[in-house]
Amino acid sequence: MRRFWVRWVLLIVFVAIIATVFVSLGDWQLDRLSERRERNAATIANEQAPVRPAEDVFTRTITEADQWQRVEARGTFDADHQFVVRYRENGGNSGYEIVTPLRMSTGILLVDRGFVTLSRSARIPAAAPAPPSGEVVVIGHVRRNEQGRQKAVTPVDGQLRLINSDAIGATLPYPVLNGYVSALVVQPPQAGDLQPLAVPELSEGPHFWYAVQWFIFTAFAVAGIVVFIRSDLRTRRESSVGSGG
């Protein structure tokens, strides 16, 4: 019988460790679900709020909670310092985006002027199309800096992978405000086929069902202990009966 007890204790310890990991993973998925719900609610509230002057928003570090507010910015584009953002996606299409500094009275703000769809055979251009000249009015979404490897955020020959005002600003002859604006409307209108960037999908994602799966795995692991011990007891009884016969 002692041999069975050792097996059972080892099994229970093993299952306890596995169950702890599974429950932690389930809780992590529920936490991600809660964060996604909060982000979706903030996105909806920000997008539905009245358009605010950019000068009132871009006064600090832009955070996740600031994203997707609509702002209006007035100024002139710096056509001599533009950036092509490569390998981007928008509404299921692949292409590139154009980022141009906008000189406002309160500072210089990076503006993502829009997305250009590329066919599979088309190449990303080396230079960005020129922005409208003179004073412009830009209405767009507030965006925080994108984060990634240094190679992705650092412009090389006017091109980059991720939009980060700190990395871009380090290559410019003037300081820029933190974050950037994703343009919805530019007046006077821009030349070229520049499309506004779509708001991210506001679904809750698969997090709930992933959590359910981890909790089911935990239940299976615990139930396995019962099945294993009952199997051992049945084997012992059968052995005892056989020996007695």
Side-chain angles (χ1 to χ4, degrees), residues 38-66:
E38 292 177 2
R39 185 167 63 248
N40 287 349
T43 297
I44 293 171
N46 285 344
E47 193 183 20
Q48 292 178 347
V51 178
R52 300 178 60 188
E55 294 85 350
D56 294 348
V57 177
F58 288 89
T59 59
R60 61 189 185 282
T61 299
I62 300 301
T63 66
E64 184 68 35
D66 298 311

PDB file of all heavy atoms in Angstrom, residues 38-66:
ATOM      1  N   GLU A  38     -11.961  47.879 -21.181  1.00  0.00           N
ATOM      2  CA  GLU A  38     -11.702  49.265 -20.764  1.00  0.00           C
ATOM      3  C   GLU A  38     -11.175  50.090 -21.937  1.00  0.00           C
ATOM      4  O   GLU A  38     -11.588  51.247 -22.124  1.00  0.00           O
ATOM      5  CB  GLU A  38     -10.700  49.282 -19.609  1.00  0.00           C
ATOM      6  CG  GLU A  38     -11.238  48.707 -18.301  1.00  0.00           C
ATOM      7  CD  GLU A  38     -10.187  48.682 -17.217  1.00  0.00           C
ATOM      8  OE1 GLU A  38      -9.055  49.149 -17.479  1.00  0.00           O
ATOM      9  OE2 GLU A  38     -10.484  48.188 -16.112  1.00  0.00           O
ATOM     10  N   ARG A  39     -10.262  49.501 -22.719  1.00  0.00           N
ATOM     11  CA  ARG A  39      -9.709  50.221 -23.871  1.00  0.00           C
ATOM     12  C   ARG A  39     -10.782  50.491 -24.910  1.00  0.00           C
ATOM     13  O   ARG A  39     -10.835  51.588 -25.489  1.00  0.00           O
ATOM     14  CB  ARG A  39      -8.564  49.420 -24.473  1.00  0.00           C
ATOM     15  CG  ARG A  39      -7.837  50.139 -25.604  1.00  0.00           C
ATOM     16  CD  ARG A  39      -6.534  49.467 -25.953  1.00  0.00           C
ATOM     17  NE  ARG A  39      -6.714  48.120 -26.446  1.00  0.00           N
ATOM     18  CZ  ARG A  39      -6.334  47.022 -25.798  1.00  0.00           C
ATOM     19  NH1 ARG A  39      -5.763  47.133 -24.612  1.00  0.00           N
ATOM     20  NH2 ARG A  39      -6.528  45.825 -26.331  1.00  0.00           N
ATOM     21  N   ASN A  40     -11.654  49.515 -25.138  1.00  0.00           N
ATOM     22  CA  ASN A  40     -12.738  49.719 -26.104  1.00  0.00           C
ATOM     23  C   ASN A  40     -13.670  50.834 -25.647  1.00  0.00           C
ATOM     24  O   ASN A  40     -14.105  51.670 -26.445  1.00  0.00           O
ATOM     25  CB  ASN A  40     -13.538  48.425 -26.276  1.00  0.00           C
ATOM     26  CG  ASN A  40     -12.774  47.368 -27.059  1.00  0.00           C
ATOM     27  OD1 ASN A  40     -11.740  47.651 -27.657  1.00  0.00           O
ATOM     28  ND2 ASN A  40     -13.263  46.144 -27.053  1.00  0.00           N
ATOM     29  N   ALA A  41     -14.000  50.832 -24.340  1.00  0.00           N
ATOM     30  CA  ALA A  41     -14.896  51.865 -23.810  1.00  0.00           C
ATOM     31  C   ALA A  41     -14.263  53.244 -23.940  1.00  0.00           C
ATOM     32  O   ALA A  41     -14.929  54.222 -24.309  1.00  0.00           O
ATOM     33  CB  ALA A  41     -15.247  51.566 -22.355  1.00  0.00           C
ATOM     34  N   ALA A  42     -12.938  53.320 -23.658  1.00  0.00           N
ATOM     35  CA  ALA A  42     -12.245  54.604 -23.774  1.00  0.00           C
ATOM     36  C   ALA A  42     -12.179  55.057 -25.227  1.00  0.00           C
ATOM     37  O   ALA A  42     -12.343  56.250 -25.518  1.00  0.00           O
ATOM     38  CB  ALA A  42     -10.836  54.487 -23.188  1.00  0.00           C
ATOM     39  N   THR A  43     -11.962  54.110 -26.135  1.00  0.00           N
ATOM     40  CA  THR A  43     -11.904  54.444 -27.563  1.00  0.00           C
ATOM     41  C   THR A  43     -13.224  55.014 -28.045  1.00  0.00           C
ATOM     42  O   THR A  43     -13.274  56.039 -28.736  1.00  0.00           O
ATOM     43  CB  THR A  43     -11.545  53.191 -28.395  1.00  0.00           C
ATOM     44  OG1 THR A  43     -10.245  52.745 -28.016  1.00  0.00           O
ATOM     45  CG2 THR A  43     -11.561  53.505 -29.886  1.00  0.00           C
ATOM     46  N   ILE A  44     -14.320  54.366 -27.661  1.00  0.00           N
ATOM     47  CA  ILE A  44     -15.650  54.837 -28.072  1.00  0.00           C
ATOM     48  C   ILE A  44     -15.930  56.218 -27.498  1.00  0.00           C
ATOM     49  O   ILE A  44     -16.402  57.117 -28.191  1.00  0.00           O
ATOM     50  CB  ILE A  44     -16.728  53.828 -27.631  1.00  0.00           C
ATOM     51  CG1 ILE A  44     -16.566  52.515 -28.400  1.00  0.00           C
ATOM     52  CG2 ILE A  44     -18.124  54.395 -27.853  1.00  0.00           C
ATOM     53  CD1 ILE A  44     -17.448  51.392 -27.892  1.00  0.00           C
ATOM     54  N   ALA A  45     -15.633  56.393 -26.206  1.00  0.00           N
ATOM     55  CA  ALA A  45     -15.894  57.681 -25.554  1.00  0.00           C
ATOM     56  C   ALA A  45     -15.046  58.786 -26.183  1.00  0.00           C
ATOM     57  O   ALA A  45     -15.548  59.896 -26.453  1.00  0.00           O
ATOM     58  CB  ALA A  45     -15.606  57.578 -24.061  1.00  0.00           C
ATOM     59  N   ASN A  46     -13.769  58.505 -26.440  1.00  0.00           N
ATOM     60  CA  ASN A  46     -12.891  59.514 -27.027  1.00  0.00           C
ATOM     61  C   ASN A  46     -13.315  59.882 -28.443  1.00  0.00           C
ATOM     62  O   ASN A  46     -13.303  61.055 -28.831  1.00  0.00           O
ATOM     63  CB  ASN A  46     -11.446  59.009 -27.044  1.00  0.00           C
ATOM     64  CG  ASN A  46     -10.795  59.053 -25.672  1.00  0.00           C
ATOM     65  OD1 ASN A  46     -11.282  59.718 -24.767  1.00  0.00           O
ATOM     66  ND2 ASN A  46      -9.710  58.327 -25.509  1.00  0.00           N
ATOM     67  N   GLU A  47     -13.699  58.869 -29.219  1.00  0.00           N
ATOM     68  CA  GLU A  47     -14.066  59.136 -30.608  1.00  0.00           C
ATOM     69  C   GLU A  47     -15.372  59.915 -30.705  1.00  0.00           C
ATOM     70  O   GLU A  47     -15.570  60.697 -31.637  1.00  0.00           O
ATOM     71  CB  GLU A  47     -14.163  57.825 -31.382  1.00  0.00           C
ATOM     72  CG  GLU A  47     -14.217  58.058 -32.889  1.00  0.00           C
ATOM     73  CD  GLU A  47     -14.376  56.762 -33.652  1.00  0.00           C
ATOM     74  OE1 GLU A  47     -14.816  55.769 -33.059  1.00  0.00           O
ATOM     75  OE2 GLU A  47     -14.074  56.761 -34.852  1.00  0.00           O
ATOM     76  N   GLN A  48     -16.276  59.703 -29.744  1.00  0.00           N
ATOM     77  CA  GLN A  48     -17.572  60.371 -29.785  1.00  0.00           C
ATOM     78  C   GLN A  48     -17.542  61.757 -29.138  1.00  0.00           C
ATOM     79  O   GLN A  48     -18.498  62.517 -29.277  1.00  0.00           O
ATOM     80  CB  GLN A  48     -18.625  59.502 -29.098  1.00  0.00           C
ATOM     81  CG  GLN A  48     -18.943  58.205 -29.855  1.00  0.00           C
ATOM     82  CD  GLN A  48     -19.958  57.337 -29.145  1.00  0.00           C
ATOM     83  OE1 GLN A  48     -20.265  57.559 -27.960  1.00  0.00           O
ATOM     84  NE2 GLN A  48     -20.487  56.351 -29.846  1.00  0.00           N
ATOM     85  N   ALA A  49     -16.453  62.073 -28.443  1.00  0.00           N
ATOM     86  CA  ALA A  49     -16.344  63.375 -27.785  1.00  0.00           C
ATOM     87  C   ALA A  49     -16.154  64.482 -28.825  1.00  0.00           C
ATOM     88  O   ALA A  49     -15.711  64.225 -29.946  1.00  0.00           O
ATOM     89  CB  ALA A  49     -15.168  63.363 -26.816  1.00  0.00           C
ATOM     90  N   PRO A  50     -16.486  65.715 -28.475  1.00  0.00           N
ATOM     91  CA  PRO A  50     -16.298  66.829 -29.410  1.00  0.00           C
ATOM     92  C   PRO A  50     -14.828  66.999 -29.799  1.00  0.00           C
ATOM     93  O   PRO A  50     -13.924  66.644 -29.041  1.00  0.00           O
ATOM     94  CB  PRO A  50     -16.800  68.053 -28.616  1.00  0.00           C
ATOM     95  CG  PRO A  50     -17.699  67.484 -27.567  1.00  0.00           C
ATOM     96  CD  PRO A  50     -17.129  66.150 -27.215  1.00  0.00           C
ATOM     97  N   VAL A  51     -14.611  67.537 -30.984  1.00  0.00           N
ATOM     98  CA  VAL A  51     -13.250  67.805 -31.450  1.00  0.00           C
ATOM     99  C   VAL A  51     -12.604  68.869 -30.566  1.00  0.00           C
ATOM    100  O   VAL A  51     -13.214  69.908 -30.277  1.00  0.00           O
ATOM    101  CB  VAL A  51     -13.259  68.271 -32.917  1.00  0.00           C
ATOM    102  CG1 VAL A  51     -11.848  68.605 -33.384  1.00  0.00           C
ATOM    103  CG2 VAL A  51     -13.879  67.203 -33.813  1.00  0.00           C
ATOM    104  N   ARG A  52     -11.385  68.597 -30.117  1.00  0.00           N
ATOM    105  CA  ARG A  52     -10.682  69.527 -29.232  1.00  0.00           C
ATOM    106  C   ARG A  52      -9.512  70.173 -29.967  1.00  0.00           C
ATOM    107  O   ARG A  52      -8.954  69.575 -30.907  1.00  0.00           O
ATOM    108  CB  ARG A  52     -10.148  68.798 -27.997  1.00  0.00           C
ATOM    109  CG  ARG A  52     -11.211  68.140 -27.142  1.00  0.00           C
ATOM    110  CD  ARG A  52     -10.568  67.403 -25.973  1.00  0.00           C
ATOM    111  NE  ARG A  52      -9.814  68.306 -25.117  1.00  0.00           N
ATOM    112  CZ  ARG A  52      -9.039  67.888 -24.110  1.00  0.00           C
ATOM    113  NH1 ARG A  52      -8.891  66.594 -23.886  1.00  0.00           N
ATOM    114  NH2 ARG A  52      -8.394  68.760 -23.353  1.00  0.00           N
ATOM    115  N   PRO A  53      -9.102  71.361 -29.570  1.00  0.00           N
ATOM    116  CA  PRO A  53      -7.888  71.950 -30.153  1.00  0.00           C
ATOM    117  C   PRO A  53      -6.676  71.092 -29.804  1.00  0.00           C
ATOM    118  O   PRO A  53      -6.531  70.641 -28.651  1.00  0.00           O
ATOM    119  CB  PRO A  53      -7.802  73.331 -29.490  1.00  0.00           C
ATOM    120  CG  PRO A  53      -9.180  73.611 -28.985  1.00  0.00           C
ATOM    121  CD  PRO A  53      -9.768  72.291 -28.620  1.00  0.00           C
ATOM    122  N   ALA A  54      -5.802  70.864 -30.757  1.00  0.00           N
ATOM    123  CA  ALA A  54      -4.610  70.052 -30.493  1.00  0.00           C
ATOM    124  C   ALA A  54      -3.749  70.677 -29.402  1.00  0.00           C
ATOM    125  O   ALA A  54      -3.099  69.966 -28.627  1.00  0.00           O
ATOM    126  CB  ALA A  54      -3.805  69.901 -31.780  1.00  0.00           C
ATOM    127  N   GLU A  55      -3.773  71.990 -29.310  1.00  0.00           N
ATOM    128  CA  GLU A  55      -2.965  72.677 -28.300  1.00  0.00           C
ATOM    129  C   GLU A  55      -3.372  72.305 -26.877  1.00  0.00           C
ATOM    130  O   GLU A  55      -2.564  72.406 -25.950  1.00  0.00           O
ATOM    131  CB  GLU A  55      -3.084  74.202 -28.469  1.00  0.00           C
ATOM    132  CG  GLU A  55      -2.492  74.737 -29.764  1.00  0.00           C
ATOM    133  CD  GLU A  55      -3.472  74.660 -30.927  1.00  0.00           C
ATOM    134  OE1 GLU A  55      -4.538  74.022 -30.779  1.00  0.00           O
ATOM    135  OE2 GLU A  55      -3.175  75.232 -31.995  1.00  0.00           O
ATOM    136  N   ASP A  56      -4.624  71.887 -26.698  1.00  0.00           N
ATOM    137  CA  ASP A  56      -5.093  71.522 -25.360  1.00  0.00           C
ATOM    138  C   ASP A  56      -4.737  70.090 -24.980  1.00  0.00           C
ATOM    139  O   ASP A  56      -4.793  69.727 -23.801  1.00  0.00           O
ATOM    140  CB  ASP A  56      -6.622  71.686 -25.264  1.00  0.00           C
ATOM    141  CG  ASP A  56      -7.066  73.127 -25.393  1.00  0.00           C
ATOM    142  OD1 ASP A  56      -6.191  74.018 -25.323  1.00  0.00           O
ATOM    143  OD2 ASP A  56      -8.279  73.360 -25.584  1.00  0.00           O
ATOM    144  N   VAL A  57      -4.390  69.275 -25.971  1.00  0.00           N
ATOM    145  CA  VAL A  57      -4.131  67.841 -25.723  1.00  0.00           C
ATOM    146  C   VAL A  57      -2.642  67.535 -25.719  1.00  0.00           C
ATOM    147  O   VAL A  57      -2.148  66.820 -24.836  1.00  0.00           O
ATOM    148  CB  VAL A  57      -4.850  66.975 -26.773  1.00  0.00           C
ATOM    149  CG1 VAL A  57      -4.521  65.499 -26.561  1.00  0.00           C
ATOM    150  CG2 VAL A  57      -6.353  67.204 -26.725  1.00  0.00           C
ATOM    151  N   PHE A  58      -1.917  68.081 -26.673  1.00  0.00           N
ATOM    152  CA  PHE A  58      -0.503  67.753 -26.807  1.00  0.00           C
ATOM    153  C   PHE A  58       0.350  68.662 -25.927  1.00  0.00           C
ATOM    154  O   PHE A  58       1.181  69.439 -26.393  1.00  0.00           O
ATOM    155  CB  PHE A  58      -0.075  67.845 -28.281  1.00  0.00           C
ATOM    156  CG  PHE A  58      -0.624  66.732 -29.114  1.00  0.00           C
ATOM    157  CD1 PHE A  58      -1.863  66.871 -29.738  1.00  0.00           C
ATOM    158  CD2 PHE A  58       0.065  65.536 -29.248  1.00  0.00           C
ATOM    159  CE1 PHE A  58      -2.388  65.837 -30.496  1.00  0.00           C
ATOM    160  CE2 PHE A  58      -0.451  64.505 -30.007  1.00  0.00           C
ATOM    161  CZ  PHE A  58      -1.683  64.641 -30.625  1.00  0.00           C
ATOM    162  N   THR A  59       0.105  68.539 -24.627  1.00  0.00           N
ATOM    163  CA  THR A  59       0.845  69.310 -23.633  1.00  0.00           C
ATOM    164  C   THR A  59       1.635  68.404 -22.695  1.00  0.00           C
ATOM    165  O   THR A  59       2.258  68.882 -21.755  1.00  0.00           O
ATOM    166  CB  THR A  59      -0.126  70.161 -22.791  1.00  0.00           C
ATOM    167  OG1 THR A  59      -1.072  69.280 -22.148  1.00  0.00           O
ATOM    168  CG2 THR A  59      -0.871  71.151 -23.664  1.00  0.00           C
ATOM    169  N   ARG A  60       1.601  67.081 -22.941  1.00  0.00           N
ATOM    170  CA  ARG A  60       2.204  66.095 -22.040  1.00  0.00           C
ATOM    171  C   ARG A  60       2.503  64.835 -22.852  1.00  0.00           C
ATOM    172  O   ARG A  60       2.267  64.797 -24.056  1.00  0.00           O
ATOM    173  CB  ARG A  60       1.226  65.763 -20.909  1.00  0.00           C
ATOM    174  CG  ARG A  60      -0.067  65.152 -21.436  1.00  0.00           C
ATOM    175  CD  ARG A  60      -1.131  65.014 -20.356  1.00  0.00           C
ATOM    176  NE  ARG A  60      -2.316  64.320 -20.847  1.00  0.00           N
ATOM    177  CZ  ARG A  60      -3.259  64.877 -21.600  1.00  0.00           C
ATOM    178  NH1 ARG A  60      -3.148  66.159 -21.937  1.00  0.00           N
ATOM    179  NH2 ARG A  60      -4.298  64.174 -21.998  1.00  0.00           N
ATOM    180  N   THR A  61       2.970  63.816 -22.151  1.00  0.00           N
ATOM    181  CA  THR A  61       3.179  62.518 -22.801  1.00  0.00           C
ATOM    182  C   THR A  61       1.822  61.889 -23.111  1.00  0.00           C
ATOM    183  O   THR A  61       0.969  61.756 -22.232  1.00  0.00           O
ATOM    184  CB  THR A  61       3.987  61.583 -21.883  1.00  0.00           C
ATOM    185  OG1 THR A  61       5.271  62.171 -21.621  1.00  0.00           O
ATOM    186  CG2 THR A  61       4.181  60.223 -22.540  1.00  0.00           C
ATOM    187  N   ILE A  62       1.627  61.509 -24.354  1.00  0.00           N
ATOM    188  CA  ILE A  62       0.366  60.900 -24.777  1.00  0.00           C
ATOM    189  C   ILE A  62       0.349  59.433 -24.340  1.00  0.00           C
ATOM    190  O   ILE A  62       1.299  58.692 -24.575  1.00  0.00           O
ATOM    191  CB  ILE A  62       0.200  60.995 -26.310  1.00  0.00           C
ATOM    192  CG1 ILE A  62       0.199  62.472 -26.742  1.00  0.00           C
ATOM    193  CG2 ILE A  62      -1.083  60.309 -26.760  1.00  0.00           C
ATOM    194  CD1 ILE A  62      -0.902  63.305 -26.118  1.00  0.00           C
ATOM    195  N   THR A  63      -0.754  59.025 -23.691  1.00  0.00           N
ATOM    196  CA  THR A  63      -0.886  57.662 -23.177  1.00  0.00           C
ATOM    197  C   THR A  63      -2.011  56.925 -23.905  1.00  0.00           C
ATOM    198  O   THR A  63      -2.719  57.505 -24.736  1.00  0.00           O
ATOM    199  CB  THR A  63      -1.180  57.673 -21.671  1.00  0.00           C
ATOM    200  OG1 THR A  63      -2.482  58.249 -21.452  1.00  0.00           O
ATOM    201  CG2 THR A  63      -0.141  58.508 -20.922  1.00  0.00           C
ATOM    202  N   GLU A  64      -2.201  55.670 -23.536  1.00  0.00           N
ATOM    203  CA  GLU A  64      -3.260  54.859 -24.139  1.00  0.00           C
ATOM    204  C   GLU A  64      -4.626  55.500 -23.924  1.00  0.00           C
ATOM    205  O   GLU A  64      -5.497  55.445 -24.797  1.00  0.00           O
ATOM    206  CB  GLU A  64      -3.236  53.451 -23.529  1.00  0.00           C
ATOM    207  CG  GLU A  64      -4.226  52.486 -24.145  1.00  0.00           C
ATOM    208  CD  GLU A  64      -3.887  52.120 -25.579  1.00  0.00           C
ATOM    209  OE1 GLU A  64      -2.695  52.016 -25.919  1.00  0.00           O
ATOM    210  OE2 GLU A  64      -4.835  51.937 -26.381  1.00  0.00           O
ATOM    211  N   ALA A  65      -4.838  56.101 -22.751  1.00  0.00           N
ATOM    212  CA  ALA A  65      -6.132  56.712 -22.443  1.00  0.00           C
ATOM    213  C   ALA A  65      -6.435  57.917 -23.324  1.00  0.00           C
ATOM    214  O   ALA A  65      -7.604  58.310 -23.464  1.00  0.00           O
ATOM    215  CB  ALA A  65      -6.183  57.117 -20.972  1.00  0.00           C
ATOM    216  N   ASP A  66      -5.407  58.527 -23.930  1.00  0.00           N
ATOM    217  CA  ASP A  66      -5.602  59.698 -24.785  1.00  0.00           C
ATOM    218  C   ASP A  66      -5.975  59.316 -26.219  1.00  0.00           C
ATOM    219  O   ASP A  66      -6.475  60.156 -26.975  1.00  0.00           O
ATOM    220  CB  ASP A  66      -4.321  60.551 -24.842  1.00  0.00           C
ATOM    221  CG  ASP A  66      -3.936  61.105 -23.485  1.00  0.00           C
ATOM    222  OD1 ASP A  66      -4.813  61.666 -22.818  1.00  0.00           O
ATOM    223  OD2 ASP A  66      -2.761  60.963 -23.097  1.00  0.00           O
TER     224      ASP A  66
END
